[in-house]
């Protein structure tokens, strides 16, 4: 078809683009206000002091000494997971199993890291973690392209299998279980990662945070550039928009899709390694090591609407909720309120762009069919 | 090797001859079936509805709390249904009115309802006691399957109502015809005057009602459960989706899938009491492993609704 697409959706509408942006910002503000007041209402209904809850969250995440360093440290793995999620989404795939991929990556890294010491082992652990996450997502990719299993289902099922499987690794000393009889508590954990194998810390203004933070930021920039400026990124975008078109223009659909899924798993695995080597759970692999970072990283990507750089502030906010929740005990409100606040925020933030898109669709009259007297392709007679 | 085979044979023999095994498997299968029938209706309309998990969690918690408050089982179950429908309302309007990606909505709702139930449970703890089994005289004395079929708590028997109603709705009403058409070819349905997204929303409501009821039956009808706990639903909704895929989007096949997965859930619960030692992690992940393998085997063989998981926006082709 030769019908020209409208160049800019804003052209020919009664609302100018600037007006629409202001409206969108307004919608966002209203949505966040609704989410926060709904959370406050929920706390009030259950008899909690909602004002204190919000101040405790701020205190625990930035205001108290040494806290914003912790928040930054929490934000790094969230950001890395989110970047991986974006890669899969860009290719039109829905990877929602980051929680499991992160656990597998971290467990694989822990196996390498606890069997040696030194910077080389750290590199090995890094590779093992990346491979672990990639393999776990690769299973879903294999099932998708070989047997047409929706990756939504398989990645979710693999989360549960990962948590049980890595739990098994912690029951055998030849796998991951710490065989030190003097270990601090009875919980089954792996041995501690040796001091020489850990990621260094940056000290700044009385706060400290690991080197994974600048690394994650750099990764965000790399992913942005790769997605928007490379052939690989272009292929993924076409694949995500329309698989058939992608095939016609020569994108190897299966390879590109499967590798995007595996790569998003690799990012989750990388996030797992970064948590392990930066001191999450005291440099040990423990049951429940992933601790919802996979889920939350995925939510970061959703809220950021799959733009890598937008993930940075969102990851920070989510990390604030994580570190702030540690200060909730004093208010007598359960920590799990943070889960509610977070998912309410996510739900609220999904709505404004959708509403805006619908308004835009309704505002633009359908393009009139181009009337050409002559056929554009003249057929030889 | 021979020892291993002999071991497996004795375990299999014990499992196949234990009444408790059949009873437990049937219980899990029925709970799964409530959710799976609902999911089947939603998928017929073209929604791969992963918030079925949230609907079950909502139903389970609400039913448990209501039971604790009023101590009347039917009202508790009704509350469970309502909670399921409320979650379904959110899913339906976000995904089929605002046209936000259905998986995004579903995942967020799953995490939201899971967190909400956990938080509320810390305030208002839901404690239930199990509904006593209703035993049909004589019939429940049939060896092996007697207790499984005729000795369940009464809410379990509601499945015998839900399945025919769902079948009748989808295959014998105008509404059902429209639901199937919007699941297979929304563009044509739209042209012939069917409100595509409204039918899809309604199908999700049906799913919510069924899954909410399933959640209620889960907390009120299962032996060895006292109240709501965070892990109870534990991806059973996703297993229900796997059952629909296993069944090749037929109602009969879906129910067979529920029986299959129920069996593996029961293995985990019953094997230790039969005196067999099995690796805890393996037995816990067995239903999920089986679900993964089974969907891999059956996903290609059967005809899924052609517009499954594709959003409908008028004017897009």
């Amino acid at each position: 078809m030769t019908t020209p697409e409208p160049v800019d959706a804003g052209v020919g509408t009664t609302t100018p683009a600037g007006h629409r942006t202001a409206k969108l910002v307004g919608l966002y503000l209203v949505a966040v206000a609704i989410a926060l007041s709904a959370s406050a209402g929920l706390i009030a209904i259950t008899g909690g002091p909602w004002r204190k809850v919000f101040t405790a969250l701020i205190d625990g995440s930035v205001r108290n000494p040494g806290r914003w360093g912790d928040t930054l440290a929490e934000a790094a793995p969230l950001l890395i997971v989110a970047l991986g999620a974006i890669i899969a989404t860009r290719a039109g795939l829905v990877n929602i199993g980051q929680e499991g991929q992160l656990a597998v990556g971290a467990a694989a890294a822990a196996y390498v890291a606890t069997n040696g010491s030194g910077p080389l082992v750290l590199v090995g652990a890094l590779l093992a973690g990346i491979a672990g996450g990639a393999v776990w997502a690769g299973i879903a990719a294999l099932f998708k392209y070989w047997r047409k299993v929706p990756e939504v289902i398989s990645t979710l099922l693999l989360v549960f299998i990962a948590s049980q499987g890595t739990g098994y690794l912690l029951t055998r000393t030849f796998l991951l279980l710490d065989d030190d009889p003097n270990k601090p508590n009875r919980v089954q954990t792996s041995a501690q990662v040796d001091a020489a194998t850990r990621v260094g810390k940056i000290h700044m203004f009385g706060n400290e945070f690991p080197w994974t933070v600048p690394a994650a930021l750099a990764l965000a920039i790399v992913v942005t550039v790769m997605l928007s400026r490379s052939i690989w990124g272009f292929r993924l975008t076409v694949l995500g928009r329309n698989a058939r078109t992608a095939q016609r223009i020569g994108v190897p659909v299966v390879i590109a899709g499967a590798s995007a899924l595996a790569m998003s798993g690799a990012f989750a695995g990388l996030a797992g390694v970064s948590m392990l080597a930066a001191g999450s759970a005291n440099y040990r692999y423990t049951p429940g090591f992933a601790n919802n970072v996979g889920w939350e990283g995925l939510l970061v990507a959703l809220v950021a609407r799959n733009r890598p750089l937008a993930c940075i502030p969102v990851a920070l906010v989510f990390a604030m909720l994580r570190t702030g929740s540690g200060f909730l005990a004093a208010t007598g409100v359960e920590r799990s309120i943070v889960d509610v606040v977070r998912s309410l925020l996510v739900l609220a933030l999904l709505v404004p762009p959708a509403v805006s898109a619908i308004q835009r669709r309704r505002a633009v009259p359908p393009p009139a069919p181009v009337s050409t007297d002559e056929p554009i392709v003249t057929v030889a007679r | 090797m021979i020892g291993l085979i002999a071991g497996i044979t004795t375990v299999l023999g014990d499992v196949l001859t234990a009444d408790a095994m059949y009873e437990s498997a049937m219980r899990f299968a029925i709970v799964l079936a409530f959710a799976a029938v609902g999911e089947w209706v939603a998928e017929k309309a073209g929604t791969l509805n992963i918030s079925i998990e949230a609907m079950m969690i909502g139903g389970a918690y609400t039913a448990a709390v209501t039971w604790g408050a009023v101590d009347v089982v039917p009202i508790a179950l009704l509350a469970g249904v309502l909670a399921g429908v409320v979650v379904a309302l959110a899913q339906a309007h976000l995904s089929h009115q605002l046209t936000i990606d259905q998986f995004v909505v579903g995942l967020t709702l799953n995490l939201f309802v899971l967190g909400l139930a956990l938080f509320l449970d810390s305030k208002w703890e839901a404690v239930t006691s199990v509904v006593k089994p209703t035993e049909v005289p004589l019939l429940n004395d049939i060896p092996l399957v007697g207790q499984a079929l005729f000795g369940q708590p009464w809410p379990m028997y509601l499945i015998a109502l839900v399945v025919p109603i769902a079948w009748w709705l989808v295959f014998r009403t105008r509404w059902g015809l429209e639901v199937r058409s919007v699941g297979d070819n929304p563009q044509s349905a739209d042209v012939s005057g069917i409100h595509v997204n409204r039918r899809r929303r309604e199908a999700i409501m049906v799913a919510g009602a069924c899954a909410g009821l399933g959640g209620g039956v889960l907390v009120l009808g299962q032996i060895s459960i006292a109240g709501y706990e965070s892990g109870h639903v534990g991806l059973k909704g996703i297993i229900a989706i796997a059952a629909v895929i296993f069944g090749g989007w037929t109602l009969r096949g879906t129910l067979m899938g529920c029986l299959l997965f129920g069996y593996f859930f029961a293995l985990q619960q019953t094997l230790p009491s039969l005196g067999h030692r099995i690796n805890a992690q393996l037995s816990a992940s067995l239903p999920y492993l089986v679900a993964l393998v089974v969907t891999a085997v059956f996903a290609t063989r059967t005809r899924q609704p052609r517009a499954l998981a594709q959003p409908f926006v008028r004017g897009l082709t």
Side-chain angles (χ1 to χ4, degrees), chain A residues 254-272:
Chain A
V254 172
I255 293 172
S259 66
L261 198 51
M263 192 179 286
S264 86
F267 271 72
L270 181 64

Side-chain angles (χ1 to χ4, degrees), chain A residues 42-43 45-48 94 96 139 143 146-150 152-161 163-165 167-168 171-172 188 295-296 298-299 302 332-337 339-340 343-344 346-347 350-351 354-355 358 361, chain B residues 48 50 94 97-101 103-105 107-113 115-120 122-124 234-235 238-239 241-242 245 279-282 284-285 287-289 291-293 295-301 304 313-314:
Chain A
L42 188 67
I43 299 168
I45 288 172
T46 52
V94 190
I96 52 178
I139 297 174
F143 281 161
W146 177 40
R147 307 298 306 177
K148 291 188 183 152
V149 179
V152 185
I153 311 297
S154 56
T155 49
L156 261 181
L157 289 172
L158 283 166
V159 171
F160 196 93
I161 297 169
S163 77
Q164 295 295 332
Y168 174 75
T171 60
R172 297 287 181 276
Q188 290 177 325
W295 297 122
E296 291 175 24
L298 179 57
L299 292 180
L302 298 184
V333 176
E334 274 293 311
R335 274 181 99 123
S336 50
I337 186 65
D339 297 338
V340 180
S343 28
L344 267 177
V346 174
L347 276 178
L350 290 177
V351 174
V355 170
I358 285 182
R361 208 159 57 223
Chain B
L48 189 52
I50 61 173
L94 288 172
Q97 188 163 39
L98 292 176
T99 57
I100 305 171
D101 185 279
F103 300 128
V104 169
V105 174
L107 176 80
T108 319
L109 278 177
N110 282 350
L111 295 175
F112 172 59
V113 176
L116 187 65
L118 191 64
F119 173 68
L120 291 177
S122 69
K123 262 307 175 228
W124 301 310
L235 289 189
I238 306 303
I239 298 279
I241 300 179
I245 296 176
N279 181 294
Q281 283 85 17
L282 178 67
S285 52
Y288 305 88
L289 271 172
L292 192 64
V293 171
T295 46
V297 172
F298 289 93
T300 48
R301 263 200 214 164
Q304 64 179 43
V313 178
R314 187 176 281 166

